[in-house]
Amino acid sequence: MRLPTRLLPLLAALLLLSACANGGDGPAPASTAPGDGATGDAGTATEATDWDEDWAAWEGEPRTRDPLERYNRVVFAFNDFFDRTVARPVARGYVRAVPEPGRNRITNFFANLGEPVNVVNHGLQGNAGAATEGTLRFLFNSTFGLLGLFDVAGGLGLERQRTDFGLTLGTWGLDTGPYLVLPFLGPSNIRDATGLGVRYLTREYTDPTHWADQDRDVRWTLAAVDIIDTRARLLPATRIMEESGADPYVFMREAYQQQRAGRLTGRDDEWNDEWDDEWSDEWDEEWDEGDGGWD
């Protein structure tokens, strides 16, 4: 099945960044968006009606086959509990404590650390052009960009092209297998979970922190900061998903399956363009008002 077109920008943002499972019983939708001076205005009512119509049409469509649903829902509930009690509060504290320019530098730093994985997988997928651009990105940002704190390569037209071992296996023709929710890591499937295992086993060759022979404590600290930064960037997406009124488990499952299929076929770029046009300005305005609107 396919999600409503209105939701494609959201799922692209949510799942390209996601390292946690989100959803569950969140706060009730606010009657006034941050920065609005009136309550219950016509724009808000129209938007709510549009959401309701989209979900009403979507819920009538056939769902993805999910033979592991009973197990997946248990793990999803655990992940949601952990997110609401630990991950989300920590992420909000991080947003309050670290100014936006600092968070942007941290995001760039970890994106640069992940570039070797992109390069290796583009090579394995037979995409020599993307592998070359990824190599140049890593070299430029690691040197002129001060260890990746600044995306110098992006300013030169070398945009980041994310990929992973799961997509490589898909390029080779391996089927996704059943949908699978992983503890702490969230939505996946048998193929992508295998890809995660491959990345772990090859970390000494693809992770720059291993190249630099960093102590385990340093690597774990960096991993924790990366997770917190990722979760902080998902705070707006979490609220929008909660306001959709959909079953959060079903939403996450369908969004994940559709987004991963789109990345294999190249439609992921179309969703990113729609996301940039429809949502980024709105979210930037809400962030500028402070984090109170996302509590």
Side-chain angles (χ1 to χ4, degrees), residues 32-38 95-96 100 103 236 239 280-295:
T32 303
D36 288 346
V95 170
R96 295 187 182 100
E100 184 178 1
R103 298 198 304 271
R239 181 185 175 186
S280 58
D281 291 341
E282 177 182 339
W283 286 14
D284 286 343
E285 290 175 1
E286 300 215 28
W287 278 120
D288 290 342
E289 293 292 334
D291 62 346
W294 303 113
D295 289 340

Side-chain angles (χ1 to χ4, degrees), residues 209-259:
T209 61
H210 282 269
W211 302 349
D213 196 25
Q214 294 293 328
D215 292 337
R216 178 176 298 181
D217 291 344
V218 174
R219 294 198 298 270
W220 279 105
T221 300
L222 289 174
V225 174
D226 187 16
I227 291 171
I228 294 170
D229 180 69
T230 298
R231 188 61 189 88
R233 288 181 284 129
L234 286 171
L235 289 174
T238 301
R239 181 185 175 186
I240 292 177
M241 184 176 73
E242 289 170 342
E243 290 181 348
S244 71
D247 177 343
Y249 171 81
V250 174
F251 180 97
M252 187 66 72
R253 181 189 66 196
E254 302 302 328
Y256 181 82
Q257 298 282 63
Q258 188 170 334
Q259 189 262 352

